[in-house]
Amino acid sequence: MDKISADVILDAKGLACPMPIVKTKKAINQLEPGKVLEVQATDKGSQADMKAWAESTGHQYLGTLEENGVLRHFLKKHSHDEADGKKYPHIASNDELKERMKANEPVVVLDVREAVEYASGHIPGAVSIPMGELDGRADELRKDQDIFVICRTGNRSDLAAKKLKDKGFHNVFNVIPGMSKWTGETEGGQQ
């Protein structure tokens, strides 16, 4: 978790609702698309506020870490690349993946979200290879396995599935709608 890095850090410690959100709106407007904002806050209600605000505005809520009473919220500014349509034709629903796992079928769940997202909660046994590292780490996967690629919404996993297909992986499925709607078992995150 020490490797989590943000492009900009916003200090909202000591501020009560709605001020952390007000400051976050101003700060994220100054960021380039795809950049990560870390908001440091002490208001316990800010976690639910940040998540709801990000979802309502199209920005990506990556997760929250708590250290010494300070909540570190990570938000990624909406990127136009993530809004592109789906390109990879082989998809699986969250329910299909859950059924395959429940039946103990041999599948690999590849989580291509960022480290902070993975740490905030992931499918048990999922392999974490963030999208930006996939080109250099694809050899950690076996080409003869069924690989179910998952991210938050199905956008990054769409790109990752296509990359794997281009590298010679044949049994690759993009899981839609991804972790944002996952109702199965998870591990990690705040207990």
Side-chain angles (χ1 to χ4, degrees), residues 83-125:
D84 290 345
K86 303 290 182 277
K87 296 177 185 81
Y88 188 75
H90 305 290
I91 62 171
S93 70
N94 286 9
D95 289 338
E96 289 174 88
L97 175 57
K98 275 195 294 191
E99 288 303 314
R100 298 268 315 254
M101 292 172 65
K102 187 177 180 180
N104 289 321
E105 292 184 29
V107 299
V108 173
V109 177
L110 174 62
D111 193 321
V112 295
R113 298 175 300 155
E114 295 298 318
V116 66
E117 294 173 280
Y118 183 83
S120 293
H122 57 271
I123 296 170

Short mmCIF file of all heavy atoms in Angstrom, two decimals, residues 83-125:
data_model
loop_
_atom_site.label_atom_id
_atom_site.label_comp_id
_atom_site.label_asym_id
_atom_site.label_seq_id
_atom_site.Cartn_x
_atom_site.Cartn_y
_atom_site.Cartn_z
N ALA A 83 -14.47 6.14 -21.66
CA ALA A 83 -15.83 6.29 -22.15
C ALA A 83 -16.03 5.62 -23.51
O ALA A 83 -17.14 5.53 -24.00
CB ALA A 83 -16.19 7.77 -22.25
N ASP A 84 -14.94 5.18 -24.13
CA ASP A 84 -15.06 4.54 -25.43
C ASP A 84 -15.89 3.27 -25.32
O ASP A 84 -15.93 2.63 -24.29
CB ASP A 84 -13.68 4.16 -25.99
CG ASP A 84 -12.89 5.38 -26.39
OD1 ASP A 84 -13.49 6.46 -26.52
OD2 ASP A 84 -11.66 5.26 -26.56
N GLY A 85 -16.54 2.90 -26.41
CA GLY A 85 -17.38 1.71 -26.44
C GLY A 85 -16.57 0.44 -26.26
O GLY A 85 -15.37 0.41 -26.42
N LYS A 86 -17.27 -0.62 -25.96
CA LYS A 86 -16.63 -1.92 -25.80
C LYS A 86 -16.11 -2.41 -27.14
O LYS A 86 -16.78 -2.30 -28.14
CB LYS A 86 -17.63 -2.93 -25.23
CG LYS A 86 -18.25 -2.51 -23.92
CD LYS A 86 -17.24 -2.56 -22.81
CE LYS A 86 -17.84 -2.20 -21.47
NZ LYS A 86 -17.93 -0.82 -21.21
N LYS A 87 -14.91 -2.99 -27.13
CA LYS A 87 -14.31 -3.48 -28.36
C LYS A 87 -14.07 -4.98 -28.32
O LYS A 87 -13.99 -5.61 -29.33
CB LYS A 87 -13.00 -2.75 -28.62
CG LYS A 87 -13.18 -1.27 -28.86
CD LYS A 87 -11.83 -0.60 -29.04
CE LYS A 87 -11.96 0.89 -29.17
NZ LYS A 87 -12.10 1.56 -27.89
N TYR A 88 -13.95 -5.54 -27.13
CA TYR A 88 -13.63 -6.95 -27.00
C TYR A 88 -14.93 -7.76 -26.96
O TYR A 88 -15.78 -7.52 -26.12
CB TYR A 88 -12.79 -7.20 -25.75
CG TYR A 88 -12.27 -8.60 -25.67
CD1 TYR A 88 -11.21 -9.00 -26.47
CD2 TYR A 88 -12.84 -9.52 -24.81
CE1 TYR A 88 -10.73 -10.29 -26.42
CE2 TYR A 88 -12.36 -10.82 -24.76
CZ TYR A 88 -11.32 -11.20 -25.56
OH TYR A 88 -10.84 -12.48 -25.52
N PRO A 89 -15.09 -8.71 -27.88
CA PRO A 89 -16.39 -9.37 -28.03
C PRO A 89 -16.73 -10.45 -27.00
O PRO A 89 -17.90 -10.76 -26.81
CB PRO A 89 -16.31 -10.00 -29.43
CG PRO A 89 -14.85 -10.25 -29.63
CD PRO A 89 -14.14 -9.12 -28.91
N HIS A 90 -15.75 -11.05 -26.34
CA HIS A 90 -16.02 -12.16 -25.42
C HIS A 90 -16.22 -11.61 -24.00
O HIS A 90 -15.25 -11.23 -23.34
CB HIS A 90 -14.88 -13.18 -25.46
CG HIS A 90 -14.62 -13.68 -26.84
ND1 HIS A 90 -15.50 -14.50 -27.51
CD2 HIS A 90 -13.60 -13.44 -27.69
CE1 HIS A 90 -15.02 -14.75 -28.71
NE2 HIS A 90 -13.87 -14.12 -28.86
N ILE A 91 -17.46 -11.58 -23.58
CA ILE A 91 -17.78 -11.02 -22.27
C ILE A 91 -18.43 -12.08 -21.39
O ILE A 91 -18.96 -13.09 -21.87
CB ILE A 91 -18.70 -9.79 -22.37
CG1 ILE A 91 -20.04 -10.15 -23.01
CG2 ILE A 91 -18.01 -8.66 -23.12
CD1 ILE A 91 -21.07 -9.04 -22.93
N ALA A 92 -18.39 -11.83 -20.10
CA ALA A 92 -19.06 -12.67 -19.11
C ALA A 92 -19.68 -11.73 -18.09
O ALA A 92 -19.11 -10.69 -17.77
CB ALA A 92 -18.07 -13.61 -18.44
N SER A 93 -20.82 -12.10 -17.58
CA SER A 93 -21.46 -11.28 -16.55
C SER A 93 -20.85 -11.61 -15.19
O SER A 93 -20.20 -12.66 -15.02
CB SER A 93 -22.97 -11.54 -16.51
OG SER A 93 -23.21 -12.85 -16.00
N ASN A 94 -21.08 -10.73 -14.24
CA ASN A 94 -20.64 -11.00 -12.86
C ASN A 94 -21.21 -12.34 -12.39
O ASN A 94 -20.52 -13.13 -11.75
CB ASN A 94 -21.10 -9.89 -11.92
CG ASN A 94 -20.31 -8.61 -12.08
OD1 ASN A 94 -19.51 -8.46 -12.98
ND2 ASN A 94 -20.56 -7.66 -11.20
N ASP A 95 -22.50 -12.58 -12.70
CA ASP A 95 -23.15 -13.82 -12.27
C ASP A 95 -22.51 -15.05 -12.90
O ASP A 95 -22.36 -16.08 -12.23
CB ASP A 95 -24.65 -13.78 -12.58
CG ASP A 95 -25.39 -12.79 -11.68
OD1 ASP A 95 -24.88 -12.46 -10.59
OD2 ASP A 95 -26.49 -12.35 -12.08
N GLU A 96 -22.14 -14.96 -14.18
CA GLU A 96 -21.48 -16.09 -14.82
C GLU A 96 -20.16 -16.42 -14.13
O GLU A 96 -19.84 -17.59 -13.89
CB GLU A 96 -21.21 -15.80 -16.30
CG GLU A 96 -22.46 -15.78 -17.16
CD GLU A 96 -22.15 -15.34 -18.58
OE1 GLU A 96 -21.82 -16.22 -19.41
OE2 GLU A 96 -22.25 -14.13 -18.85
N LEU A 97 -19.39 -15.39 -13.78
CA LEU A 97 -18.13 -15.60 -13.09
C LEU A 97 -18.38 -16.23 -11.72
O LEU A 97 -17.71 -17.19 -11.33
CB LEU A 97 -17.34 -14.29 -12.95
CG LEU A 97 -16.06 -14.38 -12.12
CD1 LEU A 97 -15.09 -15.43 -12.67
CD2 LEU A 97 -15.39 -13.02 -12.05
N LYS A 98 -19.37 -15.72 -10.99
CA LYS A 98 -19.68 -16.28 -9.67
C LYS A 98 -20.05 -17.76 -9.78
O LYS A 98 -19.62 -18.56 -8.95
CB LYS A 98 -20.85 -15.51 -9.02
CG LYS A 98 -20.42 -14.27 -8.28
CD LYS A 98 -21.49 -13.74 -7.36
CE LYS A 98 -22.69 -13.26 -8.13
NZ LYS A 98 -23.65 -12.51 -7.33
N GLU A 99 -20.84 -18.12 -10.79
CA GLU A 99 -21.25 -19.51 -10.97
C GLU A 99 -20.06 -20.40 -11.28
O GLU A 99 -19.95 -21.52 -10.76
CB GLU A 99 -22.31 -19.63 -12.07
CG GLU A 99 -23.68 -19.09 -11.67
CD GLU A 99 -24.22 -19.75 -10.41
OE1 GLU A 99 -24.18 -21.00 -10.30
OE2 GLU A 99 -24.69 -19.01 -9.52
N ARG A 100 -19.15 -19.94 -12.13
CA ARG A 100 -17.95 -20.73 -12.46
C ARG A 100 -17.10 -20.94 -11.20
O ARG A 100 -16.58 -22.03 -10.98
CB ARG A 100 -17.11 -20.03 -13.54
CG ARG A 100 -17.79 -19.84 -14.89
CD ARG A 100 -17.58 -20.93 -15.90
NE ARG A 100 -16.27 -21.46 -16.09
CZ ARG A 100 -15.49 -21.21 -17.14
NH1 ARG A 100 -15.88 -20.39 -18.10
NH2 ARG A 100 -14.31 -21.79 -17.25
N MET A 101 -16.99 -19.88 -10.39
CA MET A 101 -16.20 -19.99 -9.16
C MET A 101 -16.90 -20.92 -8.16
O MET A 101 -16.24 -21.74 -7.52
CB MET A 101 -15.97 -18.61 -8.56
CG MET A 101 -15.07 -17.73 -9.41
SD MET A 101 -14.97 -16.03 -8.81
CE MET A 101 -14.17 -16.29 -7.24
N LYS A 102 -18.20 -20.80 -8.04
CA LYS A 102 -18.97 -21.63 -7.11
C LYS A 102 -18.85 -23.11 -7.48
O LYS A 102 -18.80 -23.97 -6.61
CB LYS A 102 -20.44 -21.19 -7.14
CG LYS A 102 -21.31 -21.84 -6.11
CD LYS A 102 -22.73 -21.27 -6.18
CE LYS A 102 -23.62 -21.89 -5.15
NZ LYS A 102 -24.99 -21.33 -5.23
N ALA A 103 -18.79 -23.40 -8.78
CA ALA A 103 -18.66 -24.77 -9.26
C ALA A 103 -17.20 -25.26 -9.21
O ALA A 103 -16.90 -26.35 -9.68
CB ALA A 103 -19.20 -24.87 -10.69
N ASN A 104 -16.33 -24.44 -8.65
CA ASN A 104 -14.90 -24.76 -8.55
C ASN A 104 -14.26 -25.07 -9.89
O ASN A 104 -13.35 -25.89 -9.99
CB ASN A 104 -14.66 -25.92 -7.57
CG ASN A 104 -14.91 -25.51 -6.15
OD1 ASN A 104 -14.57 -24.40 -5.74
ND2 ASN A 104 -15.53 -26.39 -5.39
N GLU A 105 -14.75 -24.39 -10.94
CA GLU A 105 -14.13 -24.55 -12.25
C GLU A 105 -12.80 -23.82 -12.25
O GLU A 105 -12.64 -22.80 -11.59
CB GLU A 105 -15.06 -24.00 -13.34
CG GLU A 105 -16.32 -24.81 -13.50
CD GLU A 105 -17.20 -24.34 -14.64
OE1 GLU A 105 -16.66 -23.80 -15.63
OE2 GLU A 105 -18.42 -24.51 -14.53
N PRO A 106 -11.81 -24.34 -12.99
CA PRO A 106 -10.49 -23.70 -13.00
C PRO A 106 -10.49 -22.39 -13.80
O PRO A 106 -10.45 -22.41 -15.02
CB PRO A 106 -9.60 -24.75 -13.66
CG PRO A 106 -10.53 -25.55 -14.51
CD PRO A 106 -11.86 -25.54 -13.82
N VAL A 107 -10.59 -21.30 -13.10
CA VAL A 107 -10.56 -19.99 -13.74
C VAL A 107 -9.55 -19.10 -13.03
O VAL A 107 -9.26 -19.29 -11.86
CB VAL A 107 -11.94 -19.29 -13.72
CG1 VAL A 107 -12.98 -20.11 -14.47
CG2 VAL A 107 -12.41 -18.99 -12.31
N VAL A 108 -9.03 -18.15 -13.78
CA VAL A 108 -8.15 -17.12 -13.22
C VAL A 108 -8.92 -15.81 -13.28
O VAL A 108 -9.42 -15.43 -14.34
CB VAL A 108 -6.83 -17.01 -14.03
CG1 VAL A 108 -6.01 -15.82 -13.54
CG2 VAL A 108 -6.04 -18.29 -13.93
N VAL A 109 -9.04 -15.14 -12.14
CA VAL A 109 -9.65 -13.82 -12.11
C VAL A 109 -8.50 -12.82 -12.10
O VAL A 109 -7.67 -12.81 -11.19
CB VAL A 109 -10.54 -13.62 -10.86
CG1 VAL A 109 -11.10 -12.21 -10.83
CG2 VAL A 109 -11.66 -14.66 -10.84
N LEU A 110 -8.43 -12.03 -13.16
CA LEU A 110 -7.37 -11.02 -13.30
C LEU A 110 -7.96 -9.65 -13.03
O LEU A 110 -8.81 -9.17 -13.78
CB LEU A 110 -6.77 -11.07 -14.71
CG LEU A 110 -5.76 -9.97 -15.03
CD1 LEU A 110 -4.55 -10.04 -14.11
CD2 LEU A 110 -5.34 -10.06 -16.50
N ASP A 111 -7.55 -9.03 -11.93
CA ASP A 111 -8.04 -7.71 -11.53
C ASP A 111 -7.05 -6.67 -12.05
O ASP A 111 -5.90 -6.63 -11.63
CB ASP A 111 -8.14 -7.64 -10.01
CG ASP A 111 -8.92 -6.45 -9.50
OD1 ASP A 111 -8.77 -5.35 -10.07
OD2 ASP A 111 -9.66 -6.61 -8.52
N VAL A 112 -7.50 -5.82 -13.00
CA VAL A 112 -6.61 -4.85 -13.62
C VAL A 112 -6.78 -3.44 -13.05
O VAL A 112 -6.30 -2.47 -13.62
CB VAL A 112 -6.76 -4.83 -15.16
CG1 VAL A 112 -6.32 -6.16 -15.75
CG2 VAL A 112 -8.17 -4.49 -15.59
N ARG A 113 -7.45 -3.34 -11.89
CA ARG A 113 -7.59 -2.04 -11.25
C ARG A 113 -6.27 -1.65 -10.57
O ARG A 113 -5.37 -2.46 -10.41
CB ARG A 113 -8.72 -2.08 -10.19
CG ARG A 113 -10.08 -2.39 -10.79
CD ARG A 113 -11.14 -2.55 -9.72
NE ARG A 113 -10.78 -3.65 -8.82
CZ ARG A 113 -11.19 -3.75 -7.56
NH1 ARG A 113 -11.97 -2.83 -7.04
NH2 ARG A 113 -10.83 -4.78 -6.81
N GLU A 114 -6.21 -0.39 -10.17
CA GLU A 114 -5.02 0.11 -9.48
C GLU A 114 -4.89 -0.54 -8.10
O GLU A 114 -5.87 -1.06 -7.56
CB GLU A 114 -5.08 1.63 -9.33
CG GLU A 114 -5.06 2.37 -10.65
CD GLU A 114 -3.78 2.15 -11.44
OE1 GLU A 114 -2.69 2.15 -10.85
OE2 GLU A 114 -3.88 1.97 -12.67
N ALA A 115 -3.69 -0.49 -7.53
CA ALA A 115 -3.41 -1.15 -6.25
C ALA A 115 -4.36 -0.69 -5.15
O ALA A 115 -4.83 -1.51 -4.35
CB ALA A 115 -1.96 -0.90 -5.83
N VAL A 116 -4.68 0.60 -5.09
CA VAL A 116 -5.56 1.09 -4.03
C VAL A 116 -6.97 0.53 -4.20
O VAL A 116 -7.66 0.23 -3.23
CB VAL A 116 -5.57 2.64 -3.96
CG1 VAL A 116 -6.20 3.24 -5.20
CG2 VAL A 116 -6.29 3.12 -2.72
N GLU A 117 -7.42 0.36 -5.44
CA GLU A 117 -8.74 -0.21 -5.69
C GLU A 117 -8.76 -1.67 -5.25
O GLU A 117 -9.71 -2.12 -4.60
CB GLU A 117 -9.09 -0.13 -7.17
CG GLU A 117 -9.26 1.27 -7.70
CD GLU A 117 -9.45 1.27 -9.20
OE1 GLU A 117 -8.45 1.16 -9.93
OE2 GLU A 117 -10.61 1.35 -9.63
N TYR A 118 -7.73 -2.40 -5.62
CA TYR A 118 -7.62 -3.82 -5.25
C TYR A 118 -7.60 -3.96 -3.73
O TYR A 118 -8.30 -4.80 -3.17
CB TYR A 118 -6.35 -4.39 -5.88
CG TYR A 118 -6.14 -5.87 -5.63
CD1 TYR A 118 -6.76 -6.83 -6.42
CD2 TYR A 118 -5.30 -6.31 -4.60
CE1 TYR A 118 -6.56 -8.19 -6.20
CE2 TYR A 118 -5.09 -7.66 -4.37
CZ TYR A 118 -5.72 -8.60 -5.16
OH TYR A 118 -5.52 -9.94 -4.93
N ALA A 119 -6.82 -3.12 -3.07
CA ALA A 119 -6.72 -3.18 -1.61
C ALA A 119 -8.04 -2.83 -0.92
O ALA A 119 -8.32 -3.32 0.17
CB ALA A 119 -5.62 -2.23 -1.12
N SER A 120 -8.87 -2.04 -1.58
CA SER A 120 -10.15 -1.64 -0.99
C SER A 120 -11.18 -2.76 -1.03
O SER A 120 -12.22 -2.65 -0.42
CB SER A 120 -10.70 -0.41 -1.72
OG SER A 120 -9.88 0.70 -1.46
N GLY A 121 -10.91 -3.82 -1.75
CA GLY A 121 -11.80 -4.96 -1.83
C GLY A 121 -11.69 -5.64 -3.18
O GLY A 121 -11.77 -4.97 -4.21
N HIS A 122 -11.47 -6.96 -3.15
CA HIS A 122 -11.30 -7.70 -4.40
C HIS A 122 -11.87 -9.12 -4.24
O HIS A 122 -12.14 -9.57 -3.13
CB HIS A 122 -9.83 -7.75 -4.81
CG HIS A 122 -8.95 -8.34 -3.76
ND1 HIS A 122 -8.38 -7.58 -2.78
CD2 HIS A 122 -8.56 -9.62 -3.52
CE1 HIS A 122 -7.67 -8.35 -1.97
NE2 HIS A 122 -7.76 -9.61 -2.40
N ILE A 123 -12.04 -9.79 -5.35
CA ILE A 123 -12.51 -11.17 -5.35
C ILE A 123 -11.40 -12.05 -4.78
O ILE A 123 -10.23 -11.92 -5.18
CB ILE A 123 -12.87 -11.60 -6.79
CG1 ILE A 123 -14.04 -10.76 -7.31
CG2 ILE A 123 -13.20 -13.09 -6.84
CD1 ILE A 123 -14.33 -10.94 -8.79
N PRO A 124 -11.73 -12.92 -3.82
CA PRO A 124 -10.70 -13.79 -3.23
C PRO A 124 -9.95 -14.58 -4.31
O PRO A 124 -10.55 -15.15 -5.21
CB PRO A 124 -11.51 -14.73 -2.32
CG PRO A 124 -12.74 -13.96 -1.97
CD PRO A 124 -13.05 -13.15 -3.21
N GLY A 125 -8.63 -14.55 -4.20
CA GLY A 125 -7.78 -15.28 -5.13
C GLY A 125 -7.49 -14.54 -6.43
O GLY A 125 -6.74 -15.05 -7.27
#
